[in-house]
């Protein structure tokens, strides 16, 4: 893997450890490639934290992959069925890799919590303490998502060079 990709993966984990959400951390680490500034990337991704608004649905790190794939190959014409289908194919491929590596793409399942638990779906963000980081696998999921996207980019670049 190139040093640039390794640096982006590290940046994603560093962002998470600074208190950014999983989706923010993944999206912001790659956003500049697509002409998206850091603040805009973080704002776009902000609501995806905690499995979308802390509802413990799709993992925020995985949501970051989806957003990045959209930036990379999303169609821009409404009637472009081939472009839309290609984007969906890439999303499904990368999310399947994430599911294989992490057991699930659902936040509640990854955290081992019951989604019906009132505290689990509260809108109040968790305080980021040493204890929080010790018991949460999120930093590893952010790293995994960033690595999956980085590998996708490298494979795509190799294919384009051939």
């Amino acid at each position: 893997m190139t040093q640039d990709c390794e640096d982006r993966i590290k940046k994603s984990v560093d962002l998470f450890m600074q208190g950014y959400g999983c989706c923010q951390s993944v999206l912001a680490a790659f956003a500049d490639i697509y002409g998206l500034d850091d603040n805009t990337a973080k704002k776009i991704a902000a609501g995806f934290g905690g499995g979308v608004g802390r509802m413990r649905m799709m993992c925020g790190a995985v949501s970051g992959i989806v957003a990045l794939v959209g930036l990379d190959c999303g169609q821009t014409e409404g009637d472009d069925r081939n472009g839309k289908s290609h984007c969906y194919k890439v999303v499904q491929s990368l999310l399947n890799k994430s599911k294989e590596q992490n057991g699930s793409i659902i936040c509640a399942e990854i955290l081992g919590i019951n989604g019906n638990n009132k505290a689990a779906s509260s809108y109040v963000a968790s305080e980021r303490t040493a204890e929080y980081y010790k018991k949460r696998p999120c930093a590893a999921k952010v790293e995994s998502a960033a690595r999956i996207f980085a590998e996708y980019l490298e494979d795509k670049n190799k294919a384009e060079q051939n």
Side-chain angles (χ1 to χ4, degrees):
M1 183 158 301
T2 67
Q3 190 58 52
D4 178 60
C5 283
E6 289 294 344
D7 290 346
R8 289 177 187 281
I9 294 164
K10 182 182 180 324
K11 179 180 179 180
S12 70
V13 174
D14 290 346
L15 287 167
F16 180 77
M17 298 304 287
Q18 291 170 32
Y20 293 101
C22 298
C23 186
Q24 288 175 305
S25 301
V26 174
L27 183 59
F30 294 89
D32 65 298
I33 295 171
Y34 304 102
L36 201 58
D37 71 86
D38 192 58
N39 269 356
T40 303
K42 289 173 183 168
K43 283 184 173 190
I44 289 168
F48 291 91
V52 183
R54 205 167 184 272
M55 294 175 68
R56 305 303 183 201
M57 297 187 305
M58 187 163 76
C59 165
V62 171
S63 295
I65 292 173
V66 175
L68 287 167
V69 170
L71 288 168
D72 188 68
C73 66
Q75 99 287 352
T76 57
E77 300 296 325
D79 63 353
D80 181 5
R81 286 184 57 223
N82 288 336
K84 191 181 287 192
S85 296
H86 174 72
C87 182
Y88 292 166
K89 180 181 179 181
V90 174
V91 167
Q92 288 183 17
S93 172
L94 300 187
L95 269 53
N96 283 333
K97 283 184 183 177
S98 183
K99 189 172 183 175
E100 286 170 18
Q101 290 179 16
N102 298 296
S104 179
I105 61 169
I106 305 301
C107 178
E109 292 174 5
I110 291 168
L111 295 179
I113 58 176
N114 180 341
N116 296 326
N117 177 340
K118 212 169 184 67
S121 62
S122 166
Y123 62 85
V124 179
S126 299
E127 187 178 352
R128 296 287 185 93
T129 62
E131 191 58 33
Y132 171 94
Y133 289 113
K134 253 196 268 184
K135 69 180 182 178
R136 291 291 175 100
C138 303
K141 305 314 170 193
V142 165
E143 180 178 359
S144 172
R147 188 168 301 283
I148 287 167
F149 190 73
E151 288 170 354
Y152 158 76
L153 284 181
E154 288 199 337
D155 290 346
K156 181 181 169 191
N157 289 339
K158 285 177 191 168
E160 288 172 355
Q161 290 172 359
N162 291 334

